[in-house]
Amino acid sequence: MKKLIRICSLLLLLAGCGGLCGCKAVELEDRSFPMMVAVELSDMKQTQFRYVFANEWSDINSYLDYNHLKVVLIEEEFLEDEKKYQDFLTEIQKEETFPRNTYVCVTPDADEICDTGEALAIDVGTYIENMLQTKERLEKNHLPTIGDLLDDKENQMRIWKLPVLSAKDGQIEITDYYQIAYGSPSALRES
Amino acid sequence: MFLDNQRISFRQVYRLYLFSLVGISTLVIPGKIAEKNGVYGVISILLGGALAFLYLFYLKRVAKNMETDLITYLDRREGGGNLLKRGALFYLAGSAVMTAGYVAFVFSKLVQKSLTAEENYLLILALIVLVGGYAVVGGIESRARVYEVMFWFVLIPMFLLLLISLKGINFIYFDFHRAPDYGKMLQDGYLCFLPFQTLFFALLLPKYVKKDYNRLFFSIGLALFCGVGILIAFFLILVGTFGAEALSKMEFPAVTFLNNVQFTGGFFKRLDAIMMGIWFFTLFALMNMNIHYGGILLKESVKKGGGKRYLLGILAVVYLLAAGLSYVEPMQEFFFNFFLFFGVPMYVLLPGIFLAMGRKRA
C-alpha cells in the first residue's frame, strides 16, 4: 500500500511538471517560418535582413522560427565589407539563429531574386534549395552551408565557392561562384 | 517477479560503468583539448586513459587490502566516531553531489538545446532530477537491469552514427604539420582523466557484487578501455568534421555533430533525435551513480540514520547547483577548478589514506 502511494504521488508530481511544459510554447499559428533570408546593406550601410516566408500571412512581427530556413542569400555589396561579414557570422554563431545545414548563396541584387520568387509556384527558398540539391546530386559535389562558413571562420583552412544567383527572364540561375577563402570573402569569382 | 537483493552481476557492472564513462567525456572533452594541439589531442586522451588505468590498479590494490567495501572497512576499523574519517567521507559526498549537479546541468542544457529549445531550463532540470531520484530509490539492481537491457539499444546507434559520419571527414583538418604544445598536452592529459573520476566508486561496489576482485576490476577496466576507445573515435571524427579551431569554440560539439551528419534514406532521416538518447542515457547513468554514492557517503559521514531523507536533501542540492551553474556563469569555472585541483586529487589520495589509517588502528 505504502509503495502504491509512493508511486502514485511520484506520478502525480511528474504529471504536474509535465502539465507545465506547454506554458512557454509558441503556438504554431503564432509562428512565421522564413524560407529564405537575404542579408544586405541598408541605405545607412547597416546590416539588414529581408525575409521570404512560406505563407503570405506570415510577418516579421510574429515569432520567427528558422527551423525550415532553406537558403541565406548574401548580397555581394555586403561581402565587400569584411568586418560586417565577420560580425554577421559571429552573431549567428552566438545566437545559433540559422540551422547549420542552410545553403548560402551570393547575389548582386537580393531584391531582384526575392521579387522573381513571387511569381513562382513555390516559395523562392524551397525553389533555390531544390535547384542546389539537384546540382549537388548531378555533379556529386558539396555546396557550402552556414555550418561550413562558421567552421572556416575559425579554422581558416579551406576555400568555399558560394553559388552566385541572378534572375533572368523570370528564372533564377547560377551564373558563377564567389570564393570565400580561408574564412574571408575574396571578391574572386570563377565559373 | 524480478529478484531484488541489491546484488548486480559483473556484466552489469561493465555496462553501468561504460555508460557512466562515455557520456560526459564525449560531450565535454573533445572541445577542450582540440584548441591547442588539434589532432594531437589524441595523445592527451591516451595519457588520461593511462592515468585512469593506473588509478584503477591502485584502487584494486586498496580494495584487495580492505577485503570489503570502503564503508564496511571503515566501520570495522574506525567505528563511527573518528572526526577525520567522517570529515573525509563528507568531503567525498560533497564531491559526488557536485559532480551530480554538474552532470544534471549538462544534461538539462543538452535537452533544452537539442529537443525543447523554448522550454524553461528549470522545469527540464526539475524533471531530470526527479526522475533521477526515482531511479536511485529503485536501487542499484533495477538501474543495472535497465542499463543492461538498454546497452545495445544505445551502443548500436552510436556505432552507426560513427560509421555514417566517416564520409564527412575532411583529412585537411587533421593538420599533422601543426607543432604540438607538449606542456598543454600534459595538462590536457590530466583533463582527460577528470571524467574517469567515477572509478573511485569501485571501492563501494564490493557490497553489491560477488567477492571476486579480479573479475570486478576486470569489468571496470574493460569499460574504461572501451570508454577511452569511444572517446578517441569521437574526438578524431569531430576534428575531421569541424576542424580543431571550430571544435574548440563549440559548447557541445556532439550535438552540433548530430545536426551535421547527413542521414540518407527516409527511415534514418530523424535518427538524430534517437541518437541524442546516447547522451541522455549515459548522462543519466552518471548522475544517478553520483547521487547514489553521494547519499551513501553522506549517510555514513553523518551517521544519524534518516533513511531516504538524505536523498531528498541531495536532490535539492543537485537541483540548486545545476540551476546555479546555468544562471551564475563564474560557478562553471569554480566547479571546473574544484574538480581539477581538489576533487580528483582527493579521490586519488583518500583511498590510500583510509587504508593507512585502518592499518594503523589495527
Side-chain angles (χ1 to χ4, degrees):
Chain A
M1 190 62 192
K2 212 173 163 188
K3 200 169 179 182
L4 193 72
I5 293 172
R6 209 168 62 196
I7 292 173
C8 284
S9 51
L10 189 89
L11 281 176
L12 268 176
L13 200 63
L14 285 177
C17 280
L20 291 172
C21 289
C23 293
K24 232 187 145 201
V26 182
E27 297 299 334
L28 190 62
E29 56 269 29
D30 298 325
R31 291 168 191 255
S32 289
F33 298 97
M35 306 304 276
M36 186 176 87
V37 175
V39 187
E40 50 195 14
L41 286 180
S42 68
D43 296 337
M44 309 288 286
K45 298 289 172 199
Q46 295 302 311
T47 307
Q48 74 173 22
F49 294 158
R50 178 173 169 178
Y51 298 92
V52 174
F53 294 104
N55 315 306
E56 66 266 21
W57 61 83
S58 304
D59 67 88
I60 55 166
N61 297 318
S62 54
Y63 180 86
L64 294 179
D65 186 329
Y66 290 99
N67 279 317
H68 295 274
L69 184 66
K70 311 286 188 196
V71 182
V72 172
L73 186 65
I74 307 178
E75 215 169 54
E76 216 170 338
E77 191 191 3
F78 180 82
L79 289 173
E80 285 166 13
D81 188 338
E82 193 185 334
K83 191 178 174 305
K84 284 233 157 35
Y85 169 75
Q86 299 294 351
D87 288 347
F88 162 68
L89 286 187
T90 309
E91 187 62 20
I92 59 170
Q93 188 172 32
K94 203 174 99 197
E95 299 293 327
E96 296 184 358
T97 332
F98 303 146
R100 282 176 60 93
N101 59 358
T102 312
Y103 286 112
V104 189
C105 296
V106 175
T107 180
D109 186 353
D111 290 340
E112 190 187 33
I113 301 285
C114 295
D115 296 340
T116 308
E118 279 171 17
L120 299 169
I122 49 172
D123 70 88
V124 69
T126 310
Y127 178 85
I128 295 173
E129 186 196 43
N130 288 343
M131 187 170 79
L132 298 177
Q133 277 177 344
T134 310
K135 197 164 181 59
E136 270 186 329
R137 217 170 23 244
L138 291 176
E139 296 178 6
K140 290 199 169 26
N141 64 350
H142 168 75
L143 290 169
T145 60
I146 282 286
D148 296 324
L149 297 188
L150 288 176
D151 291 344
D152 217 44
K153 173 175 161 287
E154 308 296 338
N155 296 321
Q156 301 179 354
M157 292 172 92
R158 297 178 74 174
I159 295 173
W160 290 105
K161 294 170 189 166
L162 306 181
V164 179
L165 302 180
S166 289
K168 208 170 162 187
D169 305 327
Q171 294 286 316
I172 297 170
E173 58 178 32
I174 300 171
T175 52
D176 49 2
Y177 293 88
Y178 185 100
Q179 275 192 12
I180 301 281
Y182 311 111
S184 303
S186 67
L188 285 174
R189 295 262 206 116
E190 66 175 71
S191 52
Chain B
M1 218 37 215
F2 289 113
L3 265 176
D4 194 14
N5 57 4
Q6 296 301 308
R7 309 280 283 184
I8 58 175
S9 67
F10 291 115
R11 191 171 72 169
Q12 287 171 330
V13 169
Y14 159 69
R15 294 185 174 188
L16 206 66
Y17 255 100
L18 184 59
F19 270 21
S20 307
L21 298 176
V22 161
I24 199 88
S25 61
T26 49
L27 263 184
V28 178
I29 293 295
K32 292 209 186 286
I33 60 172
E35 191 179 8
K36 271 272 156 66
N37 287 318
V39 71
Y40 294 115
V42 166
I43 299 173
S44 301
I45 298 177
L46 288 171
L47 273 173
L51 277 177
F53 269 106
L54 281 177
Y55 181 52
L56 196 64
F57 279 119
Y58 157 72
L59 288 177
K60 187 182 169 187
R61 287 204 63 166
V62 172
K64 271 190 164 172
N65 276 302
M66 287 181 176
E67 293 175 336
T68 176
D69 68 288
L70 179 69
I71 305 288
T72 318
Y73 174 80
L74 288 175
D75 268 350
R76 276 188 206 155
R77 298 276 170 155
E78 294 282 328
N82 188 316
L83 201 67
L84 190 68
K85 179 201 103 176
R86 289 169 70 160
L89 286 178
F90 189 77
Y91 176 85
L92 287 173
S95 278
V97 172
M98 277 177 80
T99 311
Y102 182 75
V103 177
F105 158 70
V106 173
F107 194 176
S108 313
K109 277 276 164 213
L110 197 66
V111 171
Q112 190 184 35
K113 217 176 147 122
S114 59
L115 290 183
T116 54
E118 295 141 32
E119 200 50 78
N120 189 316
Y121 168 79
L122 291 177
L123 194 65
I124 299 169
L125 176 65
L127 273 172
I128 285 172
V129 173
L130 275 177
V131 178
Y134 178 66
V136 173
V137 170
I140 190 168
E141 201 182 344
S142 58
R143 270 185 294 130
R145 238 172 2 230
V146 171
Y147 299 138
E148 191 181 18
V149 173
M150 291 308 298
F151 189 73
W152 288 114
F153 287 101
V154 172
L155 281 210
I156 289 175
M158 182 187 273
F159 290 133
L160 204 64
L161 169 72
L162 293 175
L163 211 64
I164 293 171
S165 57
L166 284 178
K167 70 170 188 205
I169 288 180
N170 196 316
F171 287 94
I172 193 177
Y173 287 143
F174 285 143
D175 190 19
F176 291 108
H177 302 297
R178 167 198 292 263
D181 178 341
Y182 293 105
K184 184 80 174 63
M185 199 181 270
L186 287 176
Q187 276 179 31
D188 287 347
Y190 179 54
L191 189 75
C192 293
F193 175 61
L194 287 193
F196 304 135
Q197 56 174 302
T198 33
L199 292 175
F200 170 81
F201 297 132
L203 288 182
L204 297 161
L205 261 177
K207 194 176 157 189
Y208 304 107
V209 292
K210 270 192 210 154
K211 202 176 173 185
D212 183 345
Y213 291 106
N214 286 332
R215 281 187 71 192
L216 171 65
F217 281 88
F218 176 77
S219 308
I220 302 173
L222 190 63
L224 179 61
F225 182 78
C226 297
V228 172
I230 290 173
L231 178 58
I232 289 176
F234 254 102
F235 177 73
L236 288 176
I237 287 175
L238 287 174
V239 171
T241 308
F242 298 122
E245 271 71 20
L247 182 61
S248 66
K249 296 282 183 306
M250 292 173 183
E251 191 184 8
F252 297 126
V255 181
T256 317
F257 171 65
L258 273 183
N259 296 333
N260 226 46
V261 178
Q262 297 284 325
F263 296 108
T264 43
F267 181 70
F268 290 124
K269 272 281 179 222
R270 292 307 303 167
L271 208 63
D272 54 341
I274 294 173
M275 289 199 178
M276 280 315 298
I278 298 168
W279 285 281
F280 293 165
F281 270 102
T282 49
L283 289 177
F284 193 60
L286 181 61
M287 184 182 79
N288 286 340
M289 194 183 235
N290 278 285
I291 293 176
H292 173 72
Y293 290 117
I296 290 175
L297 291 164
L298 183 69
K299 218 168 168 178
E300 192 58 25
S301 70
V302 184
K303 275 272 184 220
K304 272 196 173 161
K308 302 256 154 56
R309 267 183 298 165
Y310 285 103
L311 183 64
L312 279 179
I314 286 179
L315 291 179
V317 176
V318 167
Y319 180 82
L320 289 175
L321 287 176
L325 279 164
S326 175
Y327 292 105
V328 189
E329 224 161 76
M331 255 180 89
Q332 290 183 30
E333 202 173 328
F334 170 77
F335 263 56
F336 185 65
N337 287 330
F338 174 82
F339 292 133
L340 215 55
F341 299 112
F342 298 100
V344 172
M346 290 307 253
Y347 272 132
V348 176
L349 290 176
L350 281 175
I353 294 175
F354 284 141
L355 193 65
M357 270 164 57
R359 274 194 182 150
K360 210 170 130 193
R361 182 62 68 97

